[in-house]
Amino acid sequence: MNTLTRLEATIRERLDADPASSYVASLHARGLPVIARKLGEEAVEAIVAALSGSRAELVGEAADVLFHLTVLLAEKGVPLSEVMAELDRREGMSGLDEKAARSQ
């Protein structure tokens, strides 16, 4: 968890940096639709890597997904701790039960 916490802090720091010197700032400057599309692209690349790539490719693409998800969360002002709390809430619950509870 420390790695994700550090990543989140770095991303939050870089949101308002100079877009010419920071990838995170350049995404922020281009707005939420661009960030969301980038996350989608990375998710598709992770799927492709899972289906036909090497283990190393999947690891790299999974890291890209986590990075871009963290950028999206920061853009929306959602702290990673909220996501972790939701995962904690779901811990020990059957995935089927959790999904059924959402539809009620």
Side-chain angles (χ1 to χ4, degrees), residues 13-73:
E13 287 173 11
R14 293 184 183 168
L15 281 176
D16 295 319
D18 177 9
S21 66
S22 168
Y23 177 65
V24 171
S26 71
L27 286 173
H28 174 67
R30 294 169 66 200
L32 184 60
V34 170
I35 295 168
R37 273 194 309 271
K38 188 61 182 171
L39 174 59
E41 289 170 17
E42 297 300 343
V44 168
E45 290 173 8
I47 292 165
V48 170
L51 295 173
S52 61
S54 69
R55 181 182 184 94
E57 287 174 299
L58 178 56
V59 168
E61 295 302 340
D64 289 346
V65 169
L66 289 173
F67 174 84
H68 287 89
L69 176 59
T70 307
V71 172
L72 180 75
L73 292 171

Side-chain angles (χ1 to χ4, degrees), residues 89-101:
R89 185 190 69 77
R90 295 178 185 186
E91 189 174 358
M93 182 185 296
S94 158
L96 296 174
D97 291 342
E98 192 280 327
K99 188 172 182 176

